[in-house]
Each structure stands twice: as structure tokens, then as C-alpha cells.
Amino acid sequence: MSLLLSVNNLQVQFSTRKSFVTAVDDFSLEIKPGECVGLVGESGCGKTTTALAIMRLLPSNGKIASGDIVLDGVDLSTLSEQEMQDQRGRTVALIPQDPMASLNPTMKIGRQIGEGLRIHRGVTEADARKRALEVLEMVEMPRPSERLDQYPFELSGGLRQRVIIAMGLVCEPKLLIADEPTTALDVTIQAQILDIIDSLRSQLNMGVLLITHDMGVIAGRTDRVVVMYGGMKAEEATTDELFGSMRHPYAQALLASMPNLENTSKHELASIAGLPPDLSREIVGCRFAPRCSYATDRCHVDEPPLVFDGERSYACFHPVAGPLPIVVRSSAAAVASTTERKEILRVEGLVKEFPIKAGLIRHKVGSINAVSNVSFSINEGETFGLVGESGCGKTTIGRMVVGLETPTAGQISFEDKVVSSKSHQPSRQDRRQRQMMFQDPYSSLNPRMKVGQILQEPLMVQREGTKAQQMARVNELLLSVGLEPSAADRYPHEFSGGQRQRIGFARALALNPRLIVADEPVSALDVSIQAQILNLMKELQKEHNLSYIMVSHDLAVVYYMADTIGVMYLGKIVEIGDAESVFRSPAHPYTQGLLDAVPVPDPREARGRRGRQVRGELPSPVNPPSGCRFRTRCPRAEDICANVEPMFDSFGPSQEAACHFPLKTPVTLASRTA
């Protein structure tokens, strides 16, 4: 088969005040028509820069220093800007990482999608609108004709991503570059978007370059994989070869860093120490050597050449022979987790409604039913996982638990004392034992304060110790989360995402809390950094007997961390139980749909799951469906589901679910009372 894209010996440089930084060095890549090639690696490894170089969209200080980029017989690297404009959208299209930043907030969706068609083919406004409707239907947009006259801010993240894909496909390009197209999306929406790309690739015989740091996404969607590190190719192989018998230690470490639902035991994640190399400095030897457990003296002196073995290639002096063996948790830890523990938090009948106001006098015209009659409890030293799609009410529950929101009804008891209800406003002293780790550490850290001041602030507010004692505590906190005390004199913007998450964790620990609500603490991190944070959370939980509420849409992360799981859908818990029962033998169809949507780093298993995930969009919490709220998306729904709200049934000693047609038979009353 002829090649669609051929990138040969590409070198991309960026000019700085002092010198040139080589962000991509001697990089080559090939894609055939209808083929999906995955480009994987941590942030800063050169993946997005490669994509921007192919699109000729490098920033003003960047340039293609050498190499060529041949697309369908045309060398893009030699084209003028005017000639390249004729190629973008017509022969090659880009799905960027952040759809909201790429859509014009002042233009309606239909006009934005049709713009490329008007530019490249000169069609009329009416024909462009007709084609825009066709591609919206192609990307499975709900109510596509209605969306044509909406603005980007009126759509959810998953719908905006569909719009971006539609814009890319409107002229039927030969190559689609998808740069982290699902990073910020729920697993269900992620699976739908990737299914759409797969289907369109097959229909249009379109080549796809899928860029991601998620090895699970790569496993189920690609034909070949290129692993990139430090701006260079580390390994290339077919997807099955890479996951079954990778050769480069970096590929091995990336795979070992991922929490995996297929593992029968919760083992400690193998994190990659350190960070990718600073490309502004001269690099001697193998770029991965400072982080590699196999490195020898030779690796620190000589740069390994690419070794070709059939269709596989890799650059390593000490190649490995496949994935790392799984290291299971010690039996002592397993015994400790089963001992009787005291209840620390109880949530009973929790309700939270947010009023919708309109008009000049801002009168109430409706309400958002964010949380509806939720109850659960947590024991000390244990982790309760709250999972579900965005908009299900998980974060709202977390905010009520720490006292940032007041319940509309119900109550929260902490250590047998009511700390939050409609009639009880928690005091500052009440809240100190319940702290929060926020999803975005950068936006929650004051950019005008040094890290030492940020960590000292809660101690000052609570009048904990003298100034000297407070600074000693700051140093202690930094060391406990794996940072040097010198970090206290730096500002948040001087740290990486993983380091900022550690700072956020240190701030949550400052007052020695008993309970921490961790709201999507690793959702935006590379898998290697994610593994470091999760291992750290487990280590400090054991050391300080901490309890966690782990809020996440990533079920693999929750399974790794949690003892008990609550599955939420549209403000309600639909299934609750111990982690093993819920994940190994779910009772509710929604839970099974979430599990089927989780990317797994096993190509055969991942391909077998395609099409089994939950379809459609989450209904509006302003007007939730009658009866069972999941019925509009449930493959098992019948008439009773629309008229009668299901009650909880028991499916074992510690598993309950609310469903008229569960996936397994409830235990009988006799067996429950025996």
C-alpha cells in the first residue's frame, strides 16, 4: 500500500533569547491510507510540536530546521504560507486538545463548520449549512439541526469535541491529526468520540495520527505505535507487539504506570522517577538514562542508535523483553484493610438544589437538582470512591462534606457530630478536620504567594504555633510530599503540574485533617506523574490513618484507591458496595457501561469492548427523567422504568443497587437475615 504521510528526519527548533532549543530531533514517521498510528509519550516529549510542524502551525519563534513532510506526494515543508492554507482542512485537519479554545465564541456552530467548505470549495451559504448538518449527523451529534444555530458555550465538552471533529471532516481530508482529543472527557464520552473517529476512518479511508499519553486509548484504537521521548523516537512497533513485547524501558515504564482494572490484585504502581529532559540544555548520552533503572555508564555517554528488527525499531543499549511483572501488595496491608474500623463520616438523605433565576428582579424560575437523597458512610483510614460522569453531582457532594456548600436537605455527621445541615452552618474549627484537594491545583493556588506562604496560611488562620513552628511545619509538609524545603521560596508557576498537585496535597495536610476530599486529583496528569501522586496518597493514608473521598470519572484510578465505591448518575447513587464486588460483578447497567468504556492497556481486550459503553448524553438536571433517571440511556429499560423509581436491593454482604432489571439476581430476604 502506498504511503499517505511520510515524515523524514524532522528537526524542529525554537529560538530563545540565548540559543535555539531543538524540540524534535531526527524524527521519522509513516502513515498509510486508512491506518491509525498512535504517538505516545509524556508532556514535553515533542508530540504536539510534531503535529504542529505537520500542519505548519508552529508559533512565530519555531521553525522546521531540517527534514521533509510529504503528504500525498506534496512536501508540506517547502510550501509557502498561502499554499499551505490551501492544504489545511482540505487534505489535512487537526483536532486540537481544547475545543473551547479553538472555537469562535461569537459564531454559531453551523457557520463555523461550513467555513472551511466556503473557503476551499467556494460553495454557497445554503450548501455549506446543508453540509454542516450532514457532518454533524456523521459525528452522532444529538439533535443536529438544533445545534447549527447554537454557540459553543451552549454545548457540553463532549458536544464541543464533536463540533471540532465535524469541522475537521467537512472537506473530507486524507489525514486527521487528533491531539489528545479526549483528555478532559468522561470515559463514556471519550469512548464515543474514539468510536466516531474509528468509524469515519473506515468510511473515508482516512489516515489518523492519534496523539495521547494514555496507553489504554492507544491499545484499543491504533494499528501501530510510536513512542516518543525527549523529542526523539524511542520505539516503534505494531500495537500488539508493543504491548506484548516492548523493547524500550520507557515504553515498559509507561505501561506499568497505569492503573488497570484487569489486574486481579491492587499492586503498587511503578512510577517513573524524575521528569523528561530539559531540551534547552545540551544532552549527552541516552535521553532516558537519568530515569532508567537499566542504565549503565555507556548510556550516560553515548546516544543509542535506532535498531531495526523487521517492522519494529527501538533506540536502547539494554532492551527489555516485555511488560514488567506485577508486584502485589503485601499481605500485611491486605490484613490491615479488613480489620474493623470506626465510622468517621455519615451522609444521610443529602439534597442540594441550585436555584435558576431570571428577569429583572431575579425571581426563581426553576432549580438544578444537583444531588438527590444521597446516603453513605466512611470508616477511618479508608477511601470512598465517587464515580460517574461530569454533572452527576460528585463534586457538589465533596464541597458539602468540607463545608463549602450548605445542603438543601439532609445532614452530614463527622465523628458522630452533625457538622452540616440546612440549619447548621459549620464553623471554621469544624472544617479543619475535613480538607479538599482540588482538580486544578494551579487555579487553587494564589499565584502572588510563594509556596511557603500558601502552606503557612492555614496555620496562621487557625493560630497554630509560633512563626518558627509554622515554618518548621511547612518544611515538614514539603518533605512529606516529596519536595525539597527550598520549594517554599518559589511561586506556583515555577512548578510542573505534578509538583503543583503535590503542593495542593501538602496544603490539604497542613492542619492534620482526618478526612480529605480529592476531586479528580490526577485527571490532567501524565500516567507516570499520576502514578507518583496515587502512590504518595496511599503512603500518607497509611502513615496518618487518613480517610479519603476520591471523586473521579476514571474508574481504574478509583479501583486502585478505593475500599468502597458509590456510582452516581444524575444526582443519585445507583450502586454502592465494596470495590471488588462493584468492579468485578456490577449489578447496575450504568456501572457496567462505565466499566466497558474504561481504556485498558491490552489491545485484544480493548477491541472486544468497542460499542459496549453507555451511549448518548447525560439528561439535564433541571428536568431529570421520571422513574429511573438512567432509563433514557439504558438498553434494558421497559415501561416500569419510566413510571416507578427503583428501590435499592442487596446483591451481597456489602453491595446494593437500585434497578428494576439488574445484571444479576438480588439476594433473598431469607439469605440476608440468615
Side-chain angles (χ1 to χ4, degrees), residues 17-290:
R17 292 181 180 179
K18 297 181 179 179
S19 62
F20 283 97
V21 175
T22 302
V24 176
D25 196 6
D26 196 25
F27 182 79
S28 298
L29 173 73
E30 293 180 348
I31 300 178
K32 300 171 185 176
E35 183 181 35
C36 182
V37 175
L39 186 57
V40 65
E42 296 168 282
S43 298
C45 285
K47 308 186 303 297
T48 296
T49 300
T50 300
L52 293 177
I54 294 171
M55 293 292 298
R56 293 280 305 278
L57 290 173
L58 292 168
S60 57
N61 68 328
K63 67 173 184 178
I64 297 175
S66 62
D68 53 68
I69 304 166
V70 180
L71 176 63
D72 198 29
V74 177
D75 188 351
L76 303 183
S77 64
T78 63
L79 298 183
S80 67
E81 178 56 28
Q82 186 62 43
E83 291 171 327
M84 191 62 210
Q85 285 181 14
D86 187 53
Q87 296 289 331
R88 294 190 198 107
R90 187 174 62 84
T91 59
V92 56
L94 173 69
I95 301 176
Q97 185 169 350
D98 183 359
M100 193 59 182
S102 306
L103 292 171
N104 188 330
T106 65
M107 285 178 66
K108 292 181 179 179
I109 296 302
R111 185 166 178 78
Q112 291 196 59
I113 295 174
E115 188 176 34
L117 208 62
R118 294 193 302 273
I119 291 171
H120 291 297
R121 297 185 183 174
V123 302
T124 64
E125 192 80 29
D127 286 341
R129 183 180 175 88
K130 182 180 178 181
R131 175 59 178 164
L133 179 60
E134 288 178 3
V135 290
L136 282 180
E137 291 172 344
M138 194 184 298
V139 299
E140 301 179 16
M141 174 71 81
R143 305 190 302 279
S145 58
E146 178 185 324
R147 308 298 182 187
L148 291 173
D149 294 313
Q150 290 183 317
Y151 291 93
F153 69 86
E154 298 180 84
L155 305 181
S156 68
L159 296 185
R160 285 196 292 265
Q161 196 64 278
R162 282 173 164 82
V163 172
I164 286 290
I165 296 173
M167 289 174 66
L169 295 174
V170 71
C171 293
E172 298 186 354
K174 298 175 181 179
L175 174 68
L176 182 68
I177 301 174
D179 185 9
E180 299 277 12
T182 59
T183 297
L185 301 180
D186 295 325
V187 288
T188 52
I189 306 302
Q190 170 180 271
Q192 291 178 40
I193 295 298
L194 293 173
D195 280 348
I196 289 168
I197 294 174
D198 276 344
S199 174
L200 295 172
R201 172 168 66 101
S202 176
Q203 289 177 34
L204 305 174
N205 197 32
M206 178 177 62
V208 175
L209 178 61
L210 179 60
I211 298 172
T212 181
H213 64 256
D214 190 329
M215 296 289 278
V217 169
I218 288 289
R221 306 291 172 171
T222 62
D223 302 302
R224 286 187 298 116
V225 186
V226 177
V227 181
M228 199 168 185
Y229 186 79
M232 301 184 74
K233 183 187 294 185
E235 182 168 4
E236 180 177 1
T238 64
T239 304
D240 287 337
E241 280 184 326
L242 186 90
F243 282 85
S245 58
M246 72 279 293
R247 293 288 180 261
H248 201 285
Y250 179 58
Q252 184 189 62
L254 281 178
L255 184 61
S257 298
M258 283 195 66
N260 187 354
L261 288 173
E262 298 305 301
N263 292 334
T264 56
S265 301
K266 295 183 182 180
H267 62 284
E268 183 176 352
L269 299 175
S271 61
I272 310 174
L275 295 170
D278 182 354
L279 298 179
S280 65
R281 300 179 179 179
E282 183 182 1
I283 300 173
V284 178
C286 173
R287 300 184 176 206
F288 187 59

Side-chain angles (χ1 to χ4, degrees), residues 381-383 537-546 548:
E382 294 185 354
T383 299
M537 289 179 68
K538 280 211 161 189
E539 179 185 329
L540 292 177
Q541 179 178 40
K542 186 176 180 181
E543 183 179 332
H544 299 287
N545 199 29
L546 286 169
Y548 292 127

